[in-house]
Amino acid sequence: MFEMPQDLVGADQDPYDADGIDRSLIRWMLSLSPTERLAVAQGSIDLVESVRPLPDGAG
């Protein structure tokens, strides 16, 4: 899996803006290639599907 490099967090600045947006996550995603971004997104989808209950009568 991908890990966020610590140099993108920025020790000298707050990772959150005034609205509570985590800028370090934005910087991290922008540092990835499009293929890597898709891999991260697919990993999130796979995780959700693995923990989501199946509808009644399925599986």
Side-chain angles (χ1 to χ4, degrees), residues 49 52-59:
E49 287 182 339
R52 183 177 63 179
L54 294 173
D56 289 340

Side-chain angles (χ1 to χ4, degrees), residues 41-54:
Q42 187 62 56
S44 297
I45 291 168
D46 293 344
L47 175 65
V48 169
E49 287 182 339
S50 72
V51 298
R52 183 177 63 179
L54 294 173

